[in-house]
Amino acid sequence: MTKLRIAGGQVLRPDATVERADVLVDSESGDIAAVGDPDDVPEGDETLDAEDGLVTPGLVNAHTHVAMTLLRGHADDKELDAWLQEDIWPVEAELTPEDVRAGTELGLLEMIRSGTTAFADMYFHEEEVVEAVEDAGLRARLGYGIVTVGKDEAGARDDCEQSLEVAREFDGAADGRVKTAFMPHSLTTVGEEYLREYVATAREEGIPLHYHANETEDEVDPIVEEEGERPLEYARDLDMTDGSDFVAHGVHLDGAEIDLLAETGTSVIHCPASNMKLASGMAPVQKLLDAGVTVGLGTDGAASNNDLDVFDEMRDAAMLGKLAADDASAVPAESVVRMATEGSASALGFDSGRIEEGANADLAVVDLDAAHLTPHHDLVSHLVYAARGSDVRHTLCDGAVLMRDREVLPLDAAAVREQAEERAAAAVERAE
Ligand SMILES: CSC[C@H]1O[C@@H](n2cnc3c(O)ncnc32)[C@H](O)[C@@H]1O
Ligand SMILES: [Zn+2]
């Protein structure tokens, strides 16, 4: 049994305290074998240096479209509908499986480099995402995104069937690191008749759901007009608010919808950077937390962010949360770290996001030996307000080292970037 000892660092514990401790990782089971005072932790077969570092749970990006790295900087400064319809969807229509593979590898490279060990992905050609995740060693909950508007009956059904097929076929792939979900894009882009029929099938088979909800007022208003109820009430009527389900955004929510989320156990993935960039609005994050809703953090795609760095997202969540609540004490650093770790992991159904014996050994070591992280009054504060993805020294997932001393081991960074550059340019050219 191979044991890896992460030695010499400080460790962020589940109660948000920081202590000098070593972490012993069981590389075979992929779990944390021990954590504690260096004198009490058994020797390992190998050592990973964490001196001058903070060992944290790997960050979890709980909502993204990872291959959208290919569209980073392609179209900015527009609101959601215009941005999707005029700029994003025309290029996405041109993307081949090979393009999605290249964009995904670029995204995985970026995530490993910035200490992210797990993510949720909604896109297409998901078989490519599964393979890329398998090779790169990350953990993910993946699904094929369904859009039925603008499609005929056969096309719409084909989308729904594909989403179910992907969920069935790939659940448990990559030695269990891949899990799946049924992923209707949103409550307005998938017709009610399809939601009724296919959600029932997903439920019968125990497949969780992930979808965009309450992102913009333009999305909320037509549902209220046509259904006579708020979007999440409509979702509940469609059996789309189970405790295993997680929705992205939740920006425009009323009090009854917040209660509904809490009562049903449906998680919300907050995407502050995307919400600011597309001027979608400010999610009521402190109200969600106060109501007991599980809140995770996501970057959304790299075309509306424009990166996949969850450190950036933590800072944005804290800042925007205060602005939304008009209260500087709202959404404090400790809550934000919890969102990016345990909150996101729990929303995705992973036993990660906390450094504790028996949990998945999904970890990051943040280098504290930097001017912008000096002095060390409060390391939880630093994680949210001062650290950057580029401060991550090592990244581990499922007990395996994916980045050691800033070198990403499973991917050839130069080749990944070159492929992505070429394929991104060609896809945009085809769309023009
Ligand atoms: C059908 S696969 C997923 C689909 O979602 C699009 N997308 C990217 N960002 C957002 C967002 O903020 N709200 C709604 N939809 C978004 C992406 O381009 C894919 O087409
Ligand atoms: Zn999204």
Side-chain angles (χ1 to χ4, degrees), residues 40-92:
D40 301 335
V41 171
E43 284 305 311
D45 307 297
E46 278 178 68
T47 302
L48 196 62
D49 172 31
E51 275 210 26
D52 295 321
L54 174 65
V55 188
T56 70
L59 303 178
V60 181
N61 185 351
H63 176 73
T64 189
H65 315 278
V66 71
M68 287 186 83
T69 51
L70 294 187
L71 296 171
R72 187 191 337 255
H74 166 61
D76 304 303
D77 312 324
K78 283 189 180 182
E79 54 85 29
L80 178 66
D81 266 357
W83 175 76
L84 283 175
Q85 289 182 36
E86 293 165 15
D87 303 296
I88 300 300
W89 284 343
V91 183
E92 285 181 338

Side-chain angles (χ1 to χ4, degrees), residues 4-13 18-26 32-44 46-56 355-357 363 365:
L4 173 71
R5 185 184 179 107
I6 305 175
Q10 307 205 56
V11 174
L12 178 67
R13 302 309 309 266
V18 173
E19 65 187 31
R20 171 70 195 90
D22 283 1
V23 180
L24 192 70
V25 166
D26 181 336
I32 296 172
V35 47
D37 187 288
D39 293 335
D40 301 335
V41 171
E43 284 305 311
E46 278 178 68
T47 302
L48 196 62
D49 172 31
E51 275 210 26
D52 295 321
L54 174 65
V55 188
T56 70
I355 301 183
E356 204 167 53
E357 194 179 318
L363 302 163
V365 179

Side-chain angles (χ1 to χ4, degrees), residues 70-147:
L70 294 187
L71 296 171
R72 187 191 337 255
H74 166 61
D76 304 303
D77 312 324
K78 283 189 180 182
E79 54 85 29
L80 178 66
D81 266 357
W83 175 76
L84 283 175
Q85 289 182 36
E86 293 165 15
D87 303 296
I88 300 300
W89 284 343
V91 183
E92 285 181 338
E94 297 295 328
L95 294 180
T96 64
E98 293 76 15
D99 294 334
V100 168
R101 177 67 184 248
T104 300
E105 287 186 355
L106 180 63
L108 301 188
L109 177 65
E110 194 182 346
M111 288 198 273
I112 293 170
R113 288 184 71 80
S114 51
T116 290
T117 52
F119 66 102
D121 188 61
M122 176 198 289
Y123 218 52
F124 29 81
H125 304 307
E126 282 295 310
E127 65 287 353
E128 298 294 329
V129 185
V130 173
E131 272 191 31
V133 167
E134 173 145 36
D135 294 351
L138 286 163
R139 194 181 298 285
R141 190 169 283 275
L142 310 172
Y144 174 90
I146 306 163
V147 174

Side-chain angles (χ1 to χ4, degrees), residues 269-283:
I269 311 306
H270 179 39
C271 304
S274 172
N275 297 161
M276 288 192 281
K277 184 162 186 256
L278 301 170
S280 302
M282 299 185 282

Side-chain angles (χ1 to χ4, degrees), residues 35 80 150 182 194 201 205 232 278 323 333 336 340 349 353 361 412 430:
V35 47
L80 178 66
F182 182 66
Y194 303 112
T201 308
E205 298 182 27
L232 287 172
L278 301 170
L323 204 58
V336 174
D412 176 342
R430 289 197 299 276

